[in-house]
Every structure is written in C-alpha cells, then in structure tokens.
Amino acid sequence: DAVARGELRVGPGAASSSKPPVFYDVGANGGHYSFLSKGLFGDRIVVVAFEPTPDTARWLEAINDVNRLGIKTERIALSNATGEVTLYLSAKSDSSNSLNATFKGVHRGTLQVPCATLDQYVAESGLVPSLLKIDTETHEEFVLRGGEKLLRETRPFLIVEVIRKHGHDYGKAVTNYLEEVGGYHYYHIGQKGALKRRQRISVKKHMAYARDW
C-alpha cells in the first residue's frame, strides 16, 4: 500500500507502456526471484535472468524448461564495461561468486565470462525493464553505472542487495551514484517486507535485516 499512499511512483517508461512489464533478475543464481515472478504473474510479465556462472545457469535453465516458465536466461555478467571479465568462484557457495576479487579473499578458481552493460543489453534486446533486482556480491554499483541511460530516461524500480564487508559499507557508493543520476528515494526492506524511508543506503553491523534496499 506504499504505492497507494503515493510514496512510490512508477517510472515514466513503465507507466506509459501497454506491453507487459519487464523484470531483470541480475545475479539470478538459482532463479528464486525469477521463478517467483513467473509463478505470480505468468504471461503478464517478461522475466530476464542474468547468471554468468555456467553450472548455476544450467540448473536455472533446466528448471525453466521443465516447467515451461518462459524465462529468458542470459549467461552473462553485467557491469560498466563490455567484453570478457574474470568471475571469482567462491570456495564457500556459488551464491557468493563475484566480479570483485577482494569480496571473499579465498577462491576455488576463476572463469572468463562474457559481460555487457545494462544500456547495451536494453538497446540490443529492446526489453526495457520497469523493475531490476541486483544481487552481484558487492558489484552492484558497477551494474548501475552500466545503465545510466536506462536510469535517467526510464527510472525503473530497483531492488538492490547491499552489504558491509571487511568494514566497508558498499551502500555509500551505490547512494553516491544514484544521487548523480537523480530522482531516486531509498527504502530499506525490513522484516516481512516492511519499507522504511532512509536518506541514504547504509549498512551497519547491528542491522540483522540490512541487505535489501
């Protein structure tokens, strides 16, 4: 009901289109958000899942195919540059794979994976998202930087995981960039989906449910 109270406003691109809304699941991992979106809305939504880890992407694609969900899957990373990039494979969990070499410190290996920017992908696919979920293990700022045209012109809703790691609050860089773009407000997503308006995105140690904004 935050939308009904006028606290959240749909971006101009989403509001003016008669096509089904497009959801980008960036850093899809096993596809939980993609599957949930399709389960809730079916053909009324277009879902694009980006997952650069090949083994994880294969599982996502298999579940998608068996259940005929119609999710568009892309085995690419998103950042602020194009070409090939190094993906650092976590020794702990495939959900912690990252383009940030310092994120986990210890890796079980690396892979070279294809990479695009949000703006490049939107231009080539013609799929303009009205909502993005970005969970890229401390690389969120650079995903956003690769979508400057999209953010300025369409202003989609964003759900972003932001963490504190090795004493570094990654929320500061995300906030600083979104302030450059302009037009965004920040809400912390708490327990049971409660939204709390904040002046900046910031993650403190004592916040048990601090990751999602």
Side-chain angles (χ1 to χ4, degrees), residues 25-157:
D25 188 357
V26 183
N29 194 245
H32 304 89
Y33 284 87
S34 294
F35 300 149
L36 177 62
S37 300
K38 271 297 184 179
L40 288 172
F41 301 108
D43 292 338
R44 292 177 292 157
I45 190 171
V46 176
V47 177
V48 186
F50 299 87
E51 178 48 54
T53 307
D55 288 345
T56 308
R58 276 192 285 273
W59 279 105
L60 192 160
E61 291 164 357
I63 295 170
N64 180 43
D65 291 345
V66 166
N67 292 280
R68 301 179 181 179
L69 296 174
I71 296 167
K72 183 175 176 61
T73 57
E74 298 286 2
R75 293 190 189 189
I76 61 174
L78 291 178
S79 187
N80 60 336
T82 61
E84 280 203 341
V85 293
T86 301
L87 179 67
Y88 296 88
L89 305 177
S90 169
K92 192 172 184 180
S93 168
D94 61 6
S95 64
S96 296
N97 296 344
S98 177
L99 299 188
N100 180 358
T102 65
F103 174 53
K104 282 296 183 182
V106 179
H107 313 105
R108 63 179 174 86
T110 61
L111 288 174
Q112 294 300 116
V113 298
C115 184
T117 67
L118 278 170
D119 284 339
Q120 175 194 20
Y121 187 85
V122 169
E124 292 178 357
S125 69
L127 297 172
V128 183
S130 51
L131 171 65
L132 296 91
K133 182 231 82 182
I134 306 173
D135 180 357
T136 52
E137 306 304 301
T138 71
H139 200 73
E140 291 80 12
E141 172 200 354
F142 301 99
V143 175
L144 293 169
R145 285 187 178 276
E148 181 175 356
K149 184 174 186 290
L150 170 70
L151 298 182
R152 289 187 185 277
E153 295 183 1
T154 307
R155 217 166 301 286
F157 282 118

Side-chain angles (χ1 to χ4, degrees), residues 160-165 167-176 178-179 185-190 196-213:
V160 183
E161 184 198 60
V162 179
I163 67 172
R164 188 182 189 94
K165 191 73 174 177
H168 182 74
D169 181 359
Y170 284 90
K172 293 180 180 179
V174 172
T175 304
N176 291 342
L178 290 177
E179 287 185 346
H185 301 292
Y186 315 116
Y187 293 81
H188 177 244
I189 305 174
K196 292 187 178 180
R197 179 79 176 268
R198 303 294 190 196
Q199 293 301 310
R200 295 181 62 83
I201 299 171
S202 181
V203 183
K204 298 180 176 62
K205 287 183 180 179
H206 68 272
M207 295 173 69
Y209 297 84
R211 291 174 174 245
D212 297 321
W213 294 78

